[in-house]
Amino acid sequence: FASYYSDHMVLQKEPAGAVVWGYGEPGATVTLALSRDGGIVVVKKLVIVKGPSGTWTTVLEPMAQGGPYELAATQGLENVTLQDVYFGDVWLCSGQSNMAMTVLQIANASRELAAAARYPHVRLFAAAPARSDLEQQDLEGIDLPWAVPTAANLGHGNFTYFSAVCWLLGRALYDAWQYPVGLVQAAWAGTPIEAWSSQRALRACGLLEDTGRGGRREPQSSPLRGACFTPPSPLRVASSSRPAAPPRVPPRQLPSGPQAPSVLWNAMIHPLLRMALRGIAWYQGKPSKREGLGGASPSRGEANAFLHRERYSCSFPALIADWRRTAHAASAGQSQPLLPFGFVQLSTYRRQSPDDSFARLRWHQTADLGVVPNARMPNTFMAVAMDLGDEHSPYGRRVIHPRDKQTVALRLQLGARAVAYGERSLVFQGPYPVRATLEVTKGLLNVTYSQELIWRRRDAVGFEVCCSSQRGWVPAPVVAMTSRTVTLAGCGPLVLGLRYAWAEWPCEYQACALYNRQGLPAPPFL
């Protein structure tokens, strides 16, 4: 079998058919048999090994959730049998250090580790960190073969395995549906989105040559309308056409190691997309202004708040679309064309920031539309995390690794249940404005929201308005509030811009200004 098939694994249940593949002598026949306890064969397939690759692939008939099963592959006199195999939903979890943080590192770790014994049907698999200049068909290494969860393999060490966010998400999905869940971790701390993107995705955003020799500079923050606005991203939509090039800068050192373009896609993601998947979860974490693509420390260079920040509104949707296309094709159509994709919006970094780079990256994570799913990012869901700052976290410089991963996973699983599993009545995102109207004579601005509002922290600085090119952004105090409308003190007959929670550290822990009745924060907007 290929490297990520082993005892204790979970294969994707119906309506998809599980994809199984492995190796053999070219031209030989492999007999694949799926059997219940007691040896009763329920599925049998004959597969020819292809040359010159020496691989065979088959798709099993769609199976209902449950198990255990045995899966045997026989070629001539050789036989390999995998035991304790279950059918359920398989989720791929990827990203950087906030995804790699283990259960050992989070709040109430001892309690969470002790709870592992109650979830024997939530199975774990962790790919080893690896990089490659070429797309690989199989993983180069495995940190954790398929396993039943234990305190030991959930808390192996710092930023190793197993992912706390992935585990808590899978555990919550099991609680909701009561059938097996397979969790596949492929994460590497300190890596930018370019390393996880294929060359096709990078090329669509004009980033292929950009991450190589020469480099490009971010668009400068020259005013668009006075001091209120910086220019929009020149790459609003992923396309195959070449955008106009920003100013050139002198050559710099080529990206190397795990931060080089496409190397993690090639080695850690491309092989895994051959299996049938139910969904993907993504968590990108820390920014680095100077370290960028050049640093290799696990605490550096992890997000794109500075590196290619203005291209993130292209590169992130392009990554999602490319992963989906590849997964659908590589799994022989068993992974959905619009495979559900959830992500965590960036949390906090510094209380006092010299610029708005972090807030801008949060905005770009939604393709500059504020909420998901949207037209550019269909079938996606987002967990807002800007109110989960952890000033005393011992993990990582400038506390970029908050320990409350339980709230992150709670918000993420709400989105998964609503978007991936179709619980349409489930509220999975916070309130978002639907319109703003200016009472010119009174100088008031009325902002109407999509949901009933809870004003949790009245002294929190939330709203800002831009009144003129000379004054720039100024706080807009809340002067009145109804169930869905916030009335702000404006700035006379003209308001050039309105924004909310537009800061690197916008509020204290779970104490931003606006939430809904379900406790979900209103996301930032511009």
Side-chain angles (χ1 to χ4, degrees):
F1 289 96
S3 65
Y4 46 84
Y5 297 91
S6 66
D7 295 344
H8 314 301
M9 70 180 174
V10 174
L11 294 174
Q12 182 57 44
K13 72 173 188 68
E14 61 183 3
V19 179
V20 183
W21 70 280
Y23 303 94
E25 292 293 330
T29 299
V30 172
T31 301
L32 197 70
L34 181 72
S35 58
R36 279 281 196 180
D37 284 349
I40 301 174
V41 176
V42 294
V43 175
K44 186 174 183 179
K45 287 186 172 286
L46 300 179
V47 193
I48 303 299
V49 180
K50 297 179 180 180
S53 66
T55 63
W56 55 268
T57 305
T58 190
V59 178
L60 302 180
E61 282 74 12
M63 299 289 296
Q65 65 262 24
Y69 292 90
E70 290 186 354
L71 184 63
T74 303
Q75 177 190 293
L77 298 178
E78 296 184 56
N79 175 281
V80 178
T81 300
L82 309 181
Q83 299 179 329
D84 193 36
V85 176
Y86 280 78
F87 287 86
D89 280 344
V90 182
W91 282 78
L92 170 61
C93 300
S94 185
Q96 294 74 47
S97 57
N98 270 295
M99 181 62 83
M101 279 183 74
T102 68
V103 181
L104 182 70
Q105 296 176 267
I106 65 174
N108 300 311
S110 57
R111 184 182 68 190
E112 301 294 0
L113 292 171
R118 302 202 304 267
Y119 294 90
H121 294 130
V122 180
R123 302 294 174 84
L124 316 174
F125 177 92
R131 60 184 186 268
S132 173
D133 292 331
L134 299 173
E135 289 183 344
Q136 300 299 306
Q137 297 304 309
D138 203 353
L139 295 174
E140 294 183 16
I142 295 171
D143 272 346
L144 179 66
W146 282 106
V148 177
T150 65
N153 57 32
L154 281 173
H156 184 263
N158 292 345
F159 302 106
T160 53
Y161 60 86
F162 193 77
S163 165
V165 170
C166 192
W167 161 250
L168 293 168
L169 170 63
R171 197 178 74 178
L173 293 177
Y174 179 84
D175 286 338
W177 306 116
Q178 295 295 305
Y179 57 70
V181 177
L183 301 174
V184 178
Q185 173 185 327
W188 193 325
T191 51
I193 194 172
E194 290 82 1
W196 299 95
S197 302
S198 73
Q199 293 199 6
R200 294 179 300 278
L202 294 175
R203 190 176 297 113
C205 295
L207 282 167
L208 188 59
E209 71 283 355
D210 191 15
T211 51
R213 195 176 306 277
R216 288 181 180 169
R217 179 166 41 214
E218 290 293 338
Q220 299 299 303
S221 296
S222 56
L224 182 66
R225 284 171 142 184
C228 300
F229 296 94
T230 51
S233 167
L235 298 163
R236 301 286 295 216
V237 179
S239 69
S240 58
S241 60
R242 182 71 58 86
R248 302 295 292 181
V249 296
R252 55 174 170 77
Q253 182 181 358
L254 290 174
S256 61
Q259 298 178 336
S262 301
V263 293
L264 305 186
W265 156 264
N266 290 338
M268 299 179 68
I269 300 300
H270 186 262
L272 292 172
L273 297 185
R274 293 185 70 172
M275 69 170 70
L277 297 171
R278 186 64 180 86
I280 298 172
W282 168 266
Y283 193 168
Q284 184 155 15
K286 175 189 181 298
S288 178
K289 187 167 185 176
R290 296 184 180 88
E291 289 113 15
L293 281 176
S297 166
S299 66
R300 297 179 179 180
E302 210 173 312
N304 295 75
F306 302 98
L307 176 72
H308 301 144
R309 179 190 65 238
E310 298 309 320
R311 291 174 174 80
Y312 205 91
S313 59
C314 177
S315 59
F316 190 36
L319 176 145
I320 296 171
D322 188 68
W323 284 26
R324 285 170 166 170
R325 282 192 297 266
T326 305
H328 183 65
S331 67
Q334 301 309 305
S335 294
Q336 299 176 36
L338 289 178
L339 189 63
F341 194 107
F343 64 95
V344 182
Q345 198 175 43
L346 291 187
S347 182
T348 52
Y349 183 38
R350 299 163 296 193
R351 283 188 176 272
Q352 302 297 325
S353 176
D355 54 40
D356 68 344
S357 58
F358 225 70
R360 291 174 68 83
L361 185 59
R362 289 192 188 112
W363 185 245
H364 294 331
Q365 284 183 291
T366 67
D368 299 350
L369 293 170
V371 289
V372 297
N374 59 47
R376 291 190 57 202
M377 300 172 68
N379 219 36
T380 61
F381 52 95
M382 173 177 74
V384 175
M386 66 180 181
D387 63 335
L388 302 179
D390 184 357
E391 196 166 21
H392 302 291
S393 172
Y395 303 110
R397 191 162 53 93
R398 295 194 180 99
V399 296
I400 190 58
H401 301 116
R403 289 167 290 179
D404 181 3
K405 294 298 189 277
Q406 290 89 340
T407 302
V408 169
L410 170 65
R411 295 171 181 176
L412 203 58
Q413 65 92 18
L414 288 174
R417 288 168 58 189
V419 173
Y421 293 93
E423 287 192 67
R424 300 305 178 192
S425 61
L426 188 68
V427 177
F428 67 98
Q429 55 190 354
Y432 198 74
V434 294
R435 68 177 176 272
T437 57
L438 182 64
E439 294 185 55
V440 177
T441 57
K442 298 180 180 179
L444 299 176
L445 188 62
N446 296 311
V447 184
T448 302
Y449 274 80
S450 59
Q451 302 174 30
E452 188 173 350
L453 298 169
I454 300 296
W455 194 2
R456 184 174 290 186
R457 186 70 181 264
R458 293 177 180 262
D459 61 344
V461 178
F463 293 95
E464 295 172 288
V465 292
C466 186
C467 306
S468 69
S469 59
Q470 288 75 34
R471 293 181 63 191
W473 291 99
V474 296
V478 177
V479 297
M481 187 170 174
T482 65
S483 63
R484 288 179 181 245
T485 301
V486 177
T487 300
L488 308 174
C491 44
L494 180 64
V495 176
L496 298 179
L498 169 68
R499 66 189 188 185
Y500 171 76
W502 201 261
E504 204 162 290
W505 195 298
C507 59
E508 297 304 308
Y509 177 75
Q510 295 202 30
C512 281
L514 297 178
Y515 291 76
N516 62 13
R517 288 201 171 276
Q518 290 74 24
L520 297 175
F525 72 83
L526 173 65

